[in-house]
Amino acid sequence: MATSATGQPQFIASTGGNRSFSNAPLIKNEDADQIVVPDKTSWKNLFAYIGPGFLVSIAYIDPGNFETDLQSGAQYKYELLWIILVASCAALIIQSLAANLGVVTGKHLAEHCRNEYPKVPNFILWVLAEIAIVACDIPEVIGTAFALNMLFKIPVWIGVLLTGFSTLILLALQQYGVRKLEFLIAFLVFTMAGCFFAELGYAKPEAKEVLHGLFVPQLKGNGATGLAISLLGAMVMPHNLFLHSALVLSRKIPRSVRSIKEACRFYMIESGFALAVAFLINVSVISVSGAVCSSSNINPEDQASCKDLDLNKASFLLRNVLGSWSSKLFAIALLASGQSSTITGTYAGQYVMQGFLDLRLKPWLRNFLTRCLAIVPSLIVALIGGSAGAGQLIIIASMILSFELPFALVPLLKFTSSKVKMGMHANSIAITAITWIIGSLIMIINVYYLATSFIKFLFHGNLKLVEVVFLGIFGFSAMAVYLAGVAYLVLRKNKEASHLLALTTHENQHSTNESGNASLYSLPREDIASMQLPSRREQ
């Protein structure tokens, strides 16, 4: 271990796949953005862990979530609130596992996938992860375009093009420190939450109906099933698993059993609080939408808006509380939501590329490339279908995220349940059972909806017999490939052990002193810290 002149231990890097260490510290001590967790037991340590969970939770209140929330409330009132509750609980468990993987092993999920799987499966997983990030970026592009339309009356298709410049704006703001940027964006997003909380008081939804919707599962009609899957896809996102497992590597954690357990516990508490805030915001949006659109006093114009509700028409929900300024404030908050989600997508994309391919791009370049891929379909749909078509594209993007979730979730469940990788910190039998039940239900729901929707399309889509046969062969073959891919991930045994485990066996525990303190700190990784905490000086 390297020790600075001040006596403070520095980070030690693992070289390659062996267990040897380099004497070169990963991050210099004078870096003011470095987050060092004190090597003592205290609840004050919780403040050192605050950050990753809130950055991850931003993805749960992005424009895609608001779009699906508004539509579910307008079409089915409070009937789909239980999806938000289930998805939030599942998200907390799943995100905690992602954090645990990074804390214990010192590697994030994408790096484990590269080490574990052969080249072809690894490449396929990388492509799927990139598609998921593009699907996540589409709602951000459209949401930002809607916000520009509300603020400046700019046509949606022009707004889609202008979102490409948001990358440069984001890069400029990052020069002043990402924490200041996150604080500003979080403030604006919570301003939006305050608007909906205020509207919630005005709309006065029936408490019994809201509680019934939260705790009584129901799906009435095929449309409700599709919207439920979109809600699930908008809540539990595959790129968030890669992101969370990487963000926790920015902390310098003592490598003792006690400190590792403390880190896992505090990350779960922090994630729980952040996701609880996101849960309340989503419930408020659905409740307001459901209460206003089902009201007997709603005027014909607003009633027509409810039938085809999207982000571009949602400002009328706030009109009764905030008057003419409602649409402007809604648009500013929506713009902030889209841009805060851009940060999430940027970092997730960087970690995915670095992890799967061992290739790093500058964050602004990675964000620009992803944004360009998202702009093309958004622009086409906005030109052809207008704002209504763009709103439907958000729903489709959320469904893509839901269908891709198993390809990030299954490896996460396998890795965190493996003693080969996690040692004594592997999931307990109870956690393993719960997480696999959650994962299985998500996959079953996805496959069921995909199969039933496809069969309905074949037999009720007014197609010719030749078209039915051709599409049937192609569609069912694609579903078979999908199931085969999931089965491969589920049934394949883990082979690669983690080389960054520390103090996870009883033999290693004896290397600590009598108070349980460790003499060795964990990495944190230079690549993770520099991407999370950019500054005006060169990293």
Side-chain angles (χ1 to χ4, degrees):
M1 181 179 65
T3 305
S4 67
T6 61
Q8 178 67 38
Q10 297 186 359
F11 306 140
I12 296 178
S14 175
T15 58
N18 56 39
R19 297 175 183 267
S20 63
F21 291 101
S22 168
N23 292 325
L26 284 178
I27 303 177
K28 296 180 180 179
N29 262 0
E30 59 264 22
D31 188 349
D33 287 326
Q34 192 180 117
I35 302 173
V36 180
V37 179
D39 191 12
K40 61 181 180 179
T41 303
S42 173
W43 277 97
K44 295 180 180 179
N45 289 355
L46 175 61
F47 295 101
Y49 294 105
I50 292 177
F54 281 90
L55 185 59
V56 167
S57 71
I58 290 174
Y60 294 86
I61 48 175
D62 70 353
N65 289 94
F66 291 130
E67 175 83 16
T68 50
D69 289 347
L70 290 168
Q71 292 198 9
S72 64
Q75 297 178 26
Y76 299 98
K77 205 173 180 180
Y78 317 123
E79 292 180 8
L80 299 181
L81 281 174
W82 67 275
I83 294 288
I84 299 296
L85 178 61
V86 171
S88 297
C89 294
L92 175 58
I93 297 174
I94 293 169
Q95 293 294 162
S96 297
L97 295 185
N100 292 351
L101 181 67
V103 168
V104 174
T105 66
K107 291 183 179 180
H108 56 79
L109 180 58
E111 291 175 321
H112 279 287
C113 289
R114 185 182 78 231
N115 294 335
E116 179 67 33
Y117 298 113
K119 289 185 178 180
V120 174
N122 180 73
F123 180 79
I124 294 174
L125 288 176
W126 170 70
V127 171
L128 292 174
E130 293 290 353
I131 293 174
I133 292 170
V134 172
C136 177
D137 206 44
I138 286 175
E140 297 159 16
V141 169
I142 296 175
T144 303
F146 283 164
L148 293 174
N149 177 262
M150 284 184 270
L151 285 171
F152 309 110
K153 306 300 180 183
I154 297 175
V156 174
W157 69 271
I158 295 179
V160 168
L161 288 175
L162 291 177
T163 56
F165 293 101
S166 66
T167 300
L168 302 178
I169 297 174
L170 174 62
L171 177 64
L173 291 175
Q174 278 183 317
Q175 303 305 306
Y176 297 97
V178 74
R179 286 187 172 183
K180 296 182 180 66
L181 177 65
E182 288 176 351
F183 178 80
L184 173 63
I185 292 175
F187 173 78
L188 293 174
V189 171
F190 278 106
T191 298
M192 187 179 191
C195 294
F196 275 103
F197 289 154
E199 180 68 11
L200 198 62
Y202 172 83
K204 294 182 175 64
E206 185 66 35
K208 291 183 179 179
E209 293 184 18
V210 173
L211 291 175
H212 185 269
L214 274 172
F215 297 105
V216 180
Q218 51 186 325
L219 286 174
K220 297 180 180 179
N222 191 55
T225 304
L227 202 51
I229 291 179
S230 297
L231 283 171
L232 187 65
M235 288 294 291
V236 186
M237 298 186 181
H239 77 281
N240 252 8
L241 305 184
F242 296 104
L243 177 67
H244 206 174
S245 64
L247 288 175
V248 298
L249 299 178
S250 63
R251 269 59 175 172
K252 182 179 179 182
I253 302 170
R255 299 307 291 179
S256 66
V257 174
R258 172 185 54 75
S259 296
I260 292 174
K261 288 183 177 179
E262 179 187 75
C264 294
R265 181 173 68 253
F266 282 160
Y267 274 130
M268 184 172 186
I269 294 172
E270 185 236 4
S271 299
F273 180 75
L275 292 177
V277 174
F279 166 75
L280 292 176
I281 293 174
N282 283 296
V283 168
S284 298
V285 175
I286 292 178
S287 299
V288 168
S289 177
V292 172
C293 290
S294 63
S295 173
S296 58
N297 299 325
I298 189 172
N299 61 54
E301 181 183 355
D302 290 345
Q303 192 172 18
S305 297
C306 283
K307 292 180 180 178
D308 188 22
L309 187 60
D310 59 34
L311 291 173
N312 209 25
K313 301 176 183 177
S315 59
F316 81 88
L317 296 173
L318 305 175
R319 185 185 305 153
N320 294 322
V321 172
L322 300 175
S324 60
W325 280 95
S326 62
S327 65
K328 303 298 182 185
L329 189 57
F330 181 90
I332 291 172
L334 181 60
L335 186 64
S337 176
Q339 292 309 296
S340 60
S341 301
T342 298
I343 296 176
T344 302
T346 300
Y347 291 145
Q350 184 71 10
Y351 301 143
V352 163
M353 183 168 289
Q354 175 264 329
F356 280 107
L357 304 181
D358 197 18
L359 174 66
R360 291 186 59 200
L361 291 178
K362 293 182 178 180
W364 71 267
L365 179 59
R366 180 62 181 76
N367 187 32
F368 183 76
L369 292 175
T370 304
R371 182 57 58 94
C372 289
L373 291 174
I375 283 176
V376 173
S378 301
L379 180 62
I380 294 174
V381 171
L383 285 171
I384 297 176
S387 62
Q392 287 297 316
L393 184 60
I394 291 181
I395 301 294
I396 294 173
S398 297
M399 292 180 67
I400 291 174
L401 290 171
S402 183
F403 284 115
E404 287 205 13
L405 182 59
F407 296 99
L409 179 58
V410 171
L412 176 66
L413 298 183
K414 295 270 289 192
F415 297 158
T416 54
S417 300
S418 172
K419 291 187 180 296
V420 173
K421 292 185 180 295
M422 299 285 287
M424 65 184 296
H425 301 283
N427 296 337
S428 65
I429 296 177
I431 294 297
T432 299
I434 292 173
T435 52
W436 276 106
I437 289 173
I438 292 172
S440 299
L441 287 175
I442 292 173
M443 288 182 280
I444 290 172
I445 291 173
N446 288 345
V447 172
Y448 171 78
Y449 177 76
L450 182 64
T452 54
S453 299
F454 185 66
I455 292 173
K456 183 178 179 180
F457 171 75
L458 287 179
F459 290 98
H460 303 284
N462 297 321
L463 301 175
K464 296 180 180 179
L465 181 60
V466 176
E467 295 174 333
V468 170
V469 173
F470 177 78
L471 290 176
I473 294 174
F474 177 80
F476 286 111
S477 298
M479 280 189 280
V481 172
Y482 178 87
L483 292 175
V486 175
Y488 170 80
L489 295 177
V490 171
L491 299 177
R492 186 183 184 277
K493 292 184 179 181
N494 293 330
K495 296 181 179 179
E496 295 294 330
S498 173
H499 296 292
L500 293 179
L501 281 170
L503 301 173
T504 53
T505 64
H506 292 289
E507 293 79 6
N508 285 333
Q509 291 182 44
H510 294 299
S511 65
T512 63
N513 57 32
E514 293 181 358
S515 63
N517 295 332
S519 59
L520 179 65
Y521 275 83
S522 68
L523 306 175
R525 307 262 306 278
E526 183 181 30
D527 50 353
I528 302 300
S530 63
M531 282 190 286
Q532 186 192 10
L533 303 168
S535 62
R536 280 175 287 184
R537 65 176 174 78
E538 290 296 327
Q539 297 291 344

